[in-house]
Amino acid sequence: MSEIPGNDQPDPLDSFDEIIGAETDRDPDLAVIEAGSRTLRTQGGPPEGDVPARPADPEVDKALREVETELAGRWGETKLEPSVSRIAALMDVLGEPQRAYPSIHITGTNGKTSTARMIEALLGAFELRTGRYTSPHVQSITERISLDGAPITAERFIETYQDIKPYVEMVDASQEYRLSFFEVLTGMAYAAFADAPVDVAVVEVGMGGSWDATNVIDGDVAVITPIGLDHTDRLGDTTGEIAGEKSGIIKQDATVILAQQPVDAAQVLLKKAVEVDATVAREGLEFGVVARQVAVGGQLLTLRGLGGEYPEVYLPLHGAHQAHNAAVALAAVEAFFGVGAQRAEPLDIDTVRKAFAAVSSPGRLEVVRRSPTVVLDAAHNPAGAEATAEAVREAFDFTRLIGVVGASADKNVRGLLEAFEPIFAEVVVTQNSTHRAMDADELAAIAVEVFGEERVQVEPRLPEALEAAITLAEEEGEFAGGGVLVTGSVITVGEARLLLGKG
C-alpha cells in the first residue's frame, strides 16, 4: 500500500486488517478502535488530553482489554429493551450513587456532546468538581466517563468496573435480561462520580429519554438540544413523537432549558413541563445568541443569558450550531446556579469567557492536518449534516472540497448525502469496520443518485478512501484551496482520526 500523500512516515496500516481479523470474538466497534491504536501508536505523538491513547503499561492495557471484552459480550447499544428496571436494580444494590450529587441531564438529537462539554467547562471554571458521561466515544471507551474535564484513567476505569462487577452479576441473576453494555457503563459512571466525589454530574442520554439507562437521575436542570428525525424505528416517526420520549428527563420542579425546536416538539416538551411544575427557559425568548462573527479558529459571540448579556465570548468551535449550543450551555449553568430565579446578577463575565475559550469537541469540525486541510465531523443524520455543511461554507475557504463518507446502515443516508451535495466537488464513499456500517457499494448506489456517477468514487477500506480523497484535493495545487471532510458516523471519524495520527 502506498503512503497517504503528504505523510513522510512509513505507512503504519499494513497490519490493520490482520489485527481486526484476529479480534473476531469481540465487539467490532472495540476491535477496530483497538487495532487503529495499536498500528498507529508510534505515529500519533503525545496523546491529547480529551482523547486518550491506549495505556502505555502492557499490564494495564491487557486488563483494559479484558474489561472491554467482558462489556462487549453484553447487548450492544443498538439492541434495547425499553425499561429502566435493570439499571434501577443496579442502583439499588449499589446504594443509589446517582443521588449523591446534583445533575444536569441532556437529551436531544444533535449537539448533546458539544453542549455537555461546554457545560462541564463552565462549571469547572467556577471551581466545581465535575463528572461528565457522554456517548458514543470517538476513540477510547474511557472518554465516556470524565472527571474534572478529563477522561478517567485506564486504571480507574478498570478499578470502577471491578468494584461494581459483583453487583452487576447479582442483578444479572435476578432479571429476565442481563444488563446491557450501556447500562453497565452508566452504572460505572454514576459510581465513579459518587466515589470521586463530584459536585455536579453532566449526563448525556444514550437514546431517547424516558427509558434511557441514564434516566434514574433526577436532573435539577434538564437540557433539550434541537430535536430532529433520528432513531425513528425506536423513538417515533415525527419530531413530536420523538419529543415525547425525550421529555422523560423533565422531572418534578426542575428547570428546563429548551433549544430552538420544531413546533410539534416544542408543544410536547412544554406540556410535559407544565405537568411536572418545571420552569422553562426557551432559546430565542429567555436566552439566545445576540451576535456572532467568524474569528480565527472559531467565532466571537455575544450571548444573552438568563441574567443578562455576555459580550465578546470567544468560542474555538466553528458553525452557527455551536454558537447555539453555547447559548444553551450558558443558560443551563445559569439555571444550575439559580440565575434568573434566586439571584438576578449574571455570572462573572471573565470566568465565562475563560471557560468558553478552553472548550474542545473532538470530531466536530476538527482540523487534523493541513496541506491539504482534512476536517473531521461526526454528522450522522440530515439535520446534523445541514449544520455542518453551513458551518464549512462559513468557516473555510475551500475551492474544492472532497467528501469521505462512511455511514451506518440504519441512518437516513440519502438525506445525509443530499445535505452535503452542494459543498462536495466529489465524494469518496467507504465503510468503517463495524457490523453497523452500510456496505460501500450500497452507499455508492445512493450517492450516484444524489451526486451523479462522475462525482462518486468507491473505496471500501477507509485508509484507501482517505488516500484517494487527499489525492483529489491535492489536484488543486499546494497553495490552492483543496480540502477533505470525513463524515457520516462517529465511528468513521474515530477511525480516520487514528489513521491520520491523532491519538
Side-chain angles (χ1 to χ4, degrees):
M1 187 191 309
S2 62
E3 297 178 10
I4 292 178
N7 260 344
D8 296 328
Q9 296 173 328
D11 186 351
L13 307 175
D14 292 335
S15 61
F16 197 75
D17 283 340
E18 288 84 345
I19 294 173
I20 294 171
E23 301 285 354
T24 52
D25 60 333
R26 304 190 54 232
D27 184 285
D29 291 16
L30 298 177
V32 70
I33 289 168
E34 204 171 272
S37 181
R38 287 156 68 185
T39 55
L40 294 163
R41 187 178 301 137
T42 58
Q43 174 179 328
E48 298 189 1
D50 49 7
V51 184
R54 296 297 309 186
D57 186 325
E59 290 303 314
V60 176
D61 192 41
K62 178 183 177 183
L64 181 59
R65 293 181 197 283
E66 290 172 354
V67 172
E68 290 172 327
T69 300
E70 290 187 24
L71 289 170
R74 295 179 174 273
W75 273 3
E77 291 172 280
T78 58
K79 186 172 182 180
L80 306 168
E81 193 272 325
S83 78
V84 294
S85 59
R86 291 176 303 280
I87 187 68
L90 179 60
M91 293 297 100
D92 181 56
V93 297
L94 288 175
E96 304 292 344
Q98 81 283 14
R99 306 207 185 282
Y101 38 80
S103 55
I104 297 176
H105 206 178
I106 306 168
T107 190
T109 301
N110 291 305
K112 295 188 296 295
T113 298
S114 293
T115 302
R117 284 177 167 272
M118 294 179 197
I119 291 172
E120 173 189 51
L122 283 163
L123 293 168
F126 284 99
E127 300 184 354
L128 292 184
R129 185 161 206 208
T130 57
R132 172 171 54 84
Y133 180 54
T134 52
S135 61
H137 54 275
V138 177
Q139 288 176 201
S140 170
I141 195 171
T142 60
E143 293 168 40
R144 296 184 180 226
I145 304 172
S146 289
L147 292 172
D148 295 320
I152 63 174
T153 63
E155 291 88 344
R156 191 160 191 167
F157 188 91
I158 296 162
E159 181 183 347
T160 302
Y161 177 75
Q162 296 298 343
D163 283 347
I164 75 164
K165 182 178 177 179
Y167 302 96
V168 168
E169 293 172 345
M170 189 186 308
V171 172
D172 284 344
S174 67
Q175 298 287 319
E176 181 179 1
Y177 304 107
R178 296 171 71 216
L179 287 153
S180 70
F181 170 88
F182 187 73
E183 287 168 335
V184 175
L185 276 176
T186 302
M188 289 173 61
Y190 289 160
F193 296 161
D195 184 59
V198 301
D199 297 314
V200 54
V202 182
V203 178
E204 174 190 337
V205 304
M207 186 186 299
S210 296
W211 41 262
D212 186 74
T214 63
N215 203 31
V216 288
I217 58 171
D218 293 325
D220 301 75
V221 179
V223 177
I224 321 289
T225 67
I227 291 174
L229 295 177
D230 200 6
H231 302 297
T232 53
D233 55 329
R234 298 178 179 90
L235 302 180
D237 294 324
T238 68
T239 50
E241 290 177 352
I242 293 171
E245 287 295 335
K246 294 184 183 294
S247 71
I249 74 164
I250 301 174
K251 303 299 174 61
Q252 189 74 32
D253 299 321
T255 301
V256 184
I257 305 300
L258 285 185
Q260 293 177 343
Q261 303 290 350
V263 173
D264 60 342
Q267 290 173 336
V268 171
L269 296 168
L270 290 169
K271 181 174 183 289
K272 176 60 181 288
V274 169
E275 290 172 356
V276 297
D277 294 321
T279 301
V280 177
R282 299 155 293 178
E283 184 182 7
L285 293 173
E286 285 78 25
F287 69 94
V289 180
V290 175
R292 55 181 295 268
Q293 62 187 75
V294 176
V296 176
Q299 52 194 311
L300 193 65
L301 309 175
T302 297
L303 302 175
R304 186 177 74 252
L306 305 179
E309 284 199 1
Y310 298 79
E312 298 181 1
V313 174
Y314 175 70
L315 180 68
L317 301 175
H318 299 292
H321 61 296
Q322 294 290 17
H324 290 289
N325 290 340
V328 169
L330 176 62
V333 173
E334 286 184 308
F336 181 79
F337 284 124
V339 174
Q342 291 95 342
R343 50 181 282 190
E345 69 275 10
L347 300 176
D348 179 72
I349 181 63
D350 290 333
T351 305
V352 168
R353 287 171 179 156
K354 179 182 178 182
F356 275 120
V359 167
S360 67
S361 194
R364 277 75 179 178
L365 282 176
E366 179 186 18
V367 177
V368 293
R369 66 168 282 172
R370 301 283 186 182
S371 299
T373 299
V374 179
V375 183
L376 308 179
D377 192 86
H380 56 273
N381 55 49
E386 288 168 7
T388 296
E390 184 57 38
V392 168
R393 288 190 191 97
E394 176 185 86
F396 299 92
D397 294 323
F398 293 126
T399 57
R400 175 180 169 83
L401 181 62
I402 310 300
V404 175
V405 178
S408 296
D410 60 345
K411 298 297 181 181
N412 180 358
V413 174
R414 180 179 296 275
L416 180 96
L417 293 172
E418 287 174 345
F420 284 123
E421 190 276 334
I423 69 168
F424 286 165
E426 297 181 55
V427 62
V428 181
V429 297
T430 188
Q431 63 192 73
N432 59 53
S433 301
T434 72
H435 62 285
R436 295 176 58 194
M438 175 175 281
D439 178 78
D441 289 332
E442 185 181 348
L443 179 56
I446 301 172
V448 166
E449 294 177 6
V450 174
F451 288 84
E453 187 172 356
E454 69 284 353
R455 293 169 63 195
V456 178
Q457 183 170 333
V458 186
E459 294 289 351
R461 292 185 72 247
L462 184 57
E464 280 84 359
L466 291 171
E467 182 176 337
I470 289 170
T471 300
L472 288 169
E474 285 181 332
E475 291 177 1
E476 286 287 271
E478 183 179 356
F479 300 106
V484 175
L485 175 64
V486 184
T487 189
S489 161
V490 176
I491 295 296
T492 301
V493 163
E495 292 183 18
R497 204 173 188 276
L498 285 165
L499 292 168
L500 292 163
K502 300 291 283 187

